[in-house]
Amino acid sequence: MANAGGQHPRDVLLGAQAASAFLPVCDHYSGVEARMIKSLALQAEMSQEFGACVFDVTLDCEDGAPVGGEFDHANMVVALANQAHAAIHNVASGVVSRVAARVHAVDHPAFEQDLDIIVGGAAAALCHVMIPKVETVADVERAVHLVDQAAARSGRKDALPLHVLIESPAAVHRAFDIAAHPRVQSLSFGLMDFVSSHGGAIPSSAMGMHAGQDADRPDQFSHPLVVRAKLEIASACHAHGKVPAHCVVTEISDAIAVQQAATRASRSLGYTRMWSIHPAQIRPILEAFAPAASEIDLAANIMVRAGQADWAPISYDGKLHDRASYRYFWHVLERAHQTGRRLPDEVRAYFSA
């Protein structure tokens, strides 16, 4: 395939505001040991099925650790993360697993202990650390300092990315500053804590789905304050080349609700990633975030023609395309790869290891 002197589209097309990281579109949370083990096994199975790691597994300390059992829980997370890391090299597929950990909030007594144990014991096995209830850039700086100290003790040489959870009106107000921090890779929206932080001013219906048809019971996609918060977070991420991650859907047995939420998050609100809290939610999220086959084929054809033209403007199907549209179609191919879609042969090489 001809291209600009062998240059990769990421090197040619992506500017300062383009996403600096390309993450799986689904982030799956598990807080109980048995479910963590099943989640890691499912990740391996689906990686083989799709030929790519299509979701992260985040081992959860904040909501998973019993009160008083934080030390033992953190050590269990270390053991599971290291076991997964030891099994990542698959010669046949080259697919690498992605395992993260959510620690306690920065003001929790177990926060420093979590980082000391988990990052200090499993830094090489982690793709990122999730920091919940971040309110200010100072919270991020404190987390960076402690993460780097623990990672240095473990021998990790590259910086461990941080993901942060925005869960209050004040944090939403500071979302652009938080997203600007160079160590922050992704911002997630904490829906339930955000609603609760309003002291009853937002009804509980705004934590769920399917209530939006009733003007007196707005849901998470119709309540103005919730939608505004989601848009602020997504906009902050895109302004600084970070990944916006949409909140959970608590109706875990309703696959239609999950797919509807994921579709609205990705198509209307600008999110490129979403949380899962049950294995049944993973495939609906992948389907909702995946481009259509026709869009993948169009993107592949335009990228091939663009590469052959050394990324100069081209005419395709009677329409002018240049680097602005090339960037869009490249992101289509990135999202297709992230969701395990089959890529045309002529662009598959861009995603080889």
Side-chain angles (χ1 to χ4, degrees):
M1 178 177 62
N3 57 38
Q7 288 180 291
H8 198 284
R10 289 193 191 109
D11 300 325
V12 176
L13 301 176
L14 302 187
Q17 287 184 301
S20 58
F22 297 93
L23 306 179
V25 301
C26 182
D27 189 7
H28 179 65
Y29 277 71
S30 294
V32 177
E33 184 176 13
R35 293 174 186 167
M36 292 179 180
I37 294 170
K38 289 181 179 179
S39 297
L40 292 168
L42 181 61
Q43 184 189 66
E45 291 171 9
M46 291 182 66
S47 293
Q48 292 301 305
E49 176 185 348
F50 288 105
C53 184
V54 293
F55 67 94
D56 288 354
V57 172
T58 298
L59 308 177
D60 191 5
C61 291
E62 185 189 27
D63 289 342
V67 176
E70 293 87 356
F71 178 85
D72 291 338
H73 194 86
N75 278 288
M76 181 260 292
V77 165
V78 169
L80 291 177
N82 284 331
Q83 288 170 15
H85 183 65
I88 63 174
H89 299 293
N90 185 306
V91 176
S93 68
V95 175
V96 175
S97 65
R98 288 180 50 88
V99 179
R102 175 164 70 161
V103 298
H104 285 85
V106 292
D107 60 353
H108 192 280
F111 175 65
E112 292 191 31
Q113 175 180 267
D114 279 352
L115 293 180
D116 184 58
I117 294 172
I118 297 170
V119 179
L126 299 174
C127 56
H128 65 267
V129 175
M130 166 58 78
I131 312 294
K133 295 181 173 59
V134 168
E135 292 288 319
T136 66
V137 173
D139 290 342
V140 177
E141 290 286 355
R142 180 170 179 239
V144 167
H145 175 69
L146 293 171
V147 165
D148 286 351
Q149 281 188 333
R153 290 195 300 272
S154 76
R156 180 171 176 136
K157 301 193 185 315
D158 60 317
L160 185 59
L162 299 186
H163 292 196
V164 303
L165 192 51
I166 303 296
E167 305 182 66
S168 75
V172 170
H173 176 70
R174 304 183 186 105
F176 279 81
D177 292 334
I178 293 169
H181 195 286
R183 288 291 293 281
V184 172
Q185 190 178 57
S186 174
L187 267 60
S188 292
F189 178 48
L191 170 66
M192 288 180 282
D193 278 284
F194 179 81
V195 171
S196 298
S197 69
H198 284 75
I202 299 177
S204 62
S205 63
M207 296 184 188
M209 294 277 295
H210 296 317
Q213 295 85 354
D214 183 346
D216 293 328
R217 298 182 63 244
D219 67 8
Q220 64 165 286
F221 285 100
S222 61
H223 194 286
L225 285 175
V226 175
V227 173
R228 173 183 172 272
K230 291 183 181 185
L231 291 173
E232 285 290 301
I233 291 168
S235 182
C237 286
H238 291 300
H240 295 289
K242 307 303 172 66
V243 177
H246 192 265
C247 58
V248 301
V249 171
T250 57
E251 292 86 347
I252 58 176
S253 61
D254 191 341
I256 294 175
V258 174
Q259 188 152 357
Q260 288 176 340
T263 299
R264 296 181 72 174
S266 63
R267 303 296 180 186
S268 299
L269 301 181
Y271 281 80
T272 58
R273 183 168 159 97
M274 182 169 169
W275 284 35
S276 160
I277 53 173
H278 189 278
Q281 296 183 330
I282 295 172
R283 288 183 186 271
I285 291 172
L286 294 179
E287 289 298 321
F289 278 85
S294 59
E295 192 174 15
I296 296 170
D297 289 340
L298 175 62
N301 289 335
I302 289 176
M303 292 304 297
V304 168
R305 291 282 300 276
Q308 291 170 344
D310 289 342
W311 311 106
I314 63 169
S315 174
Y316 184 85
D317 197 21
K319 296 180 181 178
L320 175 68
H321 291 281
D322 59 17
R323 292 197 184 195
S325 57
Y326 298 160
R327 186 177 301 116
Y328 169 81
F329 289 112
W330 171 247
H331 285 310
V332 170
L333 296 181
E334 285 277 8
R335 194 166 71 252
H337 176 66
Q338 292 163 348
T339 51
R341 305 300 103 166
R342 179 171 177 80
L343 293 169
D345 292 341
E346 56 268 28
V347 295
R348 197 175 303 156
Y350 282 138
F351 298 94
S352 60

